[in-house]
Amino acid sequence: MARILLVEDDPALARGLATSLKSAGHTVDIAEDGETALIAARSEEFALITLDLGLPDISGIEILRRLRREGNTTPILILTARDAIEDRVEGLDLGADDYLLKPFEPSELEARIRALLRRAQGVASPIINVGLLEVDPARATATVAGRDLELRRREWAMLERLVAHVGKVVSKDRLASEIFGYDEAVAPNAVELYVARLRRKLGDNGPEIRTIRGLGYMLMTS
Ligand code: CA
């Protein structure tokens, strides 16, 4: 369960991949050209980027080069045609984390993504405790005093974001884009609804999600 930026200029392929990734529980944003991909990668936080190398405007290799030069460390999975061996090698040299040859099965893509996310999360965050709340990003599980929270996809995305910024305000817009993706129509009160649900699931023993009026929400440390 992660927010993924899918960079792919073939609309049918992009839609197909997005559908299968969403059904695997991810939040997916699609960029159909290089310029859009760069803007998205610079302005939003993604857990992973899948990058088609053959794009109409800026090549995938150039996107990779620019993002890494700017210090962007988001895991990048290159999706490329079978004949572009040199690009693959160059991509890995430039800091791509893995590559997958087209055509591929959705299940293979999903497996590679899981592996990359596990690797990234293993480095970045083992298990996080906030009071009696325990969050395991690698396994996508959360418990309060040992009780499993049984979170749905968007509740999990919201909790992950709040936990990553515990003790700090997370804006409503940020939460909305995190849990819905930026091109999805979001009802004005959708974030409130999910916060309410998450509060209910955290219960009396879990940490408080405080509303900071006009600014957003904060997960309290005590
Ligand atoms: Ca392409």
Side-chain angles (χ1 to χ4, degrees):
M1 291 192 263
R3 186 168 182 206
I4 294 174
L5 175 63
L6 187 72
V7 185
E8 172 59 63
D9 65 318
D10 177 338
L13 181 57
R15 268 197 307 277
L17 292 177
T19 302
S20 82
L21 291 176
K22 281 178 184 170
S23 71
H26 302 298
T27 305
V28 181
D29 290 310
I30 297 174
E32 290 190 1
D33 57 65
E35 197 59 51
T36 309
L38 279 174
I39 291 168
R42 285 167 178 159
S43 58
E44 305 282 333
E45 269 179 56
F46 294 96
L48 184 132
I49 299 170
T50 70
L51 183 61
D52 175 28
L53 292 186
L55 295 169
D57 51 351
I58 310 170
S59 78
I61 288 290
E62 184 56 27
I63 289 170
L64 179 60
R65 191 196 317 272
R66 291 193 201 171
L67 288 178
R68 290 297 186 244
R69 200 169 47 207
E70 291 163 11
N72 187 315
T73 57
T74 305
I76 293 179
L77 172 61
I78 288 178
L79 306 181
T80 185
R82 198 162 289 275
D83 51 3
I85 289 181
E86 282 167 20
D87 280 351
R88 252 150 57 203
V89 172
E90 193 182 359
L92 292 172
D93 283 347
L94 284 171
D97 297 86
D98 199 0
Y99 66 86
L100 193 53
L101 296 179
K102 293 177 180 177
F104 49 78
E105 291 296 319
S107 60
E108 190 179 5
L109 175 64
E110 177 52 28
R112 297 291 185 96
I113 287 175
R114 269 201 309 274
L116 284 179
L117 292 175
R118 256 201 313 273
R119 204 200 291 169
Q121 284 163 341
V123 176
S125 52
I127 285 175
I128 303 158
N129 291 285
V130 181
L132 296 177
L133 169 69
E134 185 170 294
V135 176
D136 183 345
R139 291 173 49 227
T141 58
T143 58
V144 168
R147 171 179 59 87
D148 191 347
L149 294 192
E150 291 176 17
L151 300 175
R152 307 186 66 149
R153 172 166 70 95
R154 287 177 170 154
E155 295 161 358
W156 169 259
M158 175 174 270
L159 181 64
E160 241 191 339
R161 172 60 38 194
L162 289 168
V163 163
H165 297 271
V166 62
K168 296 188 188 112
V169 180
V170 181
S171 76
K172 218 164 127 180
D173 285 350
R174 174 117 238 177
L175 280 178
S177 72
E178 185 70 28
I179 61 182
F180 298 104
Y182 57 71
D183 56 357
E184 212 167 309
V186 182
N189 63 343
V191 172
E192 280 98 325
L193 284 173
Y194 278 94
V195 167
R197 277 199 216 166
L198 195 51
R199 279 180 177 143
R200 226 171 13 248
K201 291 197 175 177
L202 286 168
D204 293 337
N205 294 323
E208 178 196 353
I209 302 173
R210 189 169 292 176
T211 304
I212 312 295
R213 218 158 284 286
L215 292 176
Y217 299 93
M218 192 189 320
L219 187 68
M220 308 302 288
T221 49
S222 62

